[in-house]
Structures are given as C-alpha cells and as structure tokens.
Amino acid sequence: MNAAAMLARARANLVRVEPEQAERLLADRALLVDIRPYANRLAEGEIPGAVIVERIVLEWRLDPHNEFRLAGLAEDSTVVVLCNEGYASSLAARDAQELGLRNATDMIGGFRAWKAAGLPVVRGGSPAVP
C-alpha cells in the first residue's frame, strides 16, 4: 500500500465537510480540532474556537473512553479535524472513528481552505492542549 491508497481508504468512511459546513458545526457546538504544527499556526493563524491538539497525543485526547480525553468528549460528539490542506486530517479522523467517535470527520482543504473562504482567523501561536 502507498500513501495515496491509505488516504483513499481513510476517506471511504468519512463524510467530509467544507469549511462553511465546519463553521456551522462549530457554532452548533461541534469540536473543531486543529492538529497543525505550531510553526504553521504561528505563521498562518488559527480558527477561533478550535481546540489545538498536537498529533502526538491525538488518540489519547480523542478516545471517548480514555481518562485523558478532551473534556466533554463522548462517543456521539461531533468532531471535525483539520490540518493544513486536508490530508493528515483525513487519517486522524479515521483514527478517531476507530476509537469510537462515530461522528468524527475532517475538513476538506484544511485551514488554508477555511482562510481562503474568508472565514474568521485569529493570530496564531496558541499552546496546544497538554
């Protein structure tokens, strides 16, 4: 298997959302999870209301049965993962589904598509959830 096949397999079970849909979901209390590296967030900005989770601890924060999960996270939580352009987030959303988050997905085009759509962006560099 190569990376393209792995990505296609991950996306097969995702109902991916456009940035405008992600904004509406965020307004409806969905969890928007930004997994971009600090350098990208610092240089390009962040989405107001998104929760920043380093990729290295993502599974522990998104496991609805783990003591280290994000506050309020449950199996029926709506979770939208985003990265720079929507590739790594597809793999992360697949992992979240495998952990039991049946409403996990990712955002098509990632942060850059959000910004290009003219949606709200704030200065970056916020710390990640520990």
Side-chain angles (χ1 to χ4, degrees):
M1 178 178 303
N2 61 27
M6 184 180 289
L7 181 63
R9 182 181 288 177
R11 288 179 173 170
N13 293 319
L14 298 176
V15 179
R16 302 180 77 218
V17 298
E18 296 285 347
E20 295 81 5
Q21 292 171 287
E23 182 184 40
R24 286 191 300 275
L25 289 170
L26 180 61
D28 288 339
R29 300 187 187 260
L31 184 63
L32 190 58
V33 178
D34 187 341
I35 63 169
R36 295 176 302 138
Y38 175 79
N40 292 108
R41 297 190 324 269
L42 183 62
E44 299 180 54
E46 298 170 0
I47 297 172
V51 176
I52 299 163
V53 179
E54 298 286 343
R55 183 63 183 97
I56 194 168
V57 296
L58 187 68
E59 284 77 11
W60 284 264
R61 301 300 176 260
L62 293 185
D63 180 347
H65 306 289
N66 188 315
E67 66 181 295
F68 303 109
R69 72 184 173 275
L70 295 171
L73 187 72
E75 287 182 347
D76 62 347
S77 297
T78 299
V79 176
V80 179
V81 183
L82 71 108
C83 62
N84 288 330
E85 296 179 339
Y87 297 98
S89 60
S90 293
L91 300 174
R94 176 218 44 213
D95 293 349
Q97 284 185 345
E98 290 179 2
L99 289 168
L101 291 173
R102 56 185 168 267
N103 298 319
T105 191
D106 77 320
M107 186 169 61
I108 298 167
F111 176 82
R112 293 179 181 156
W114 175 283
K115 192 171 185 176
L119 297 171
V121 174
V122 296
R123 185 175 178 177
S126 300
V129 171

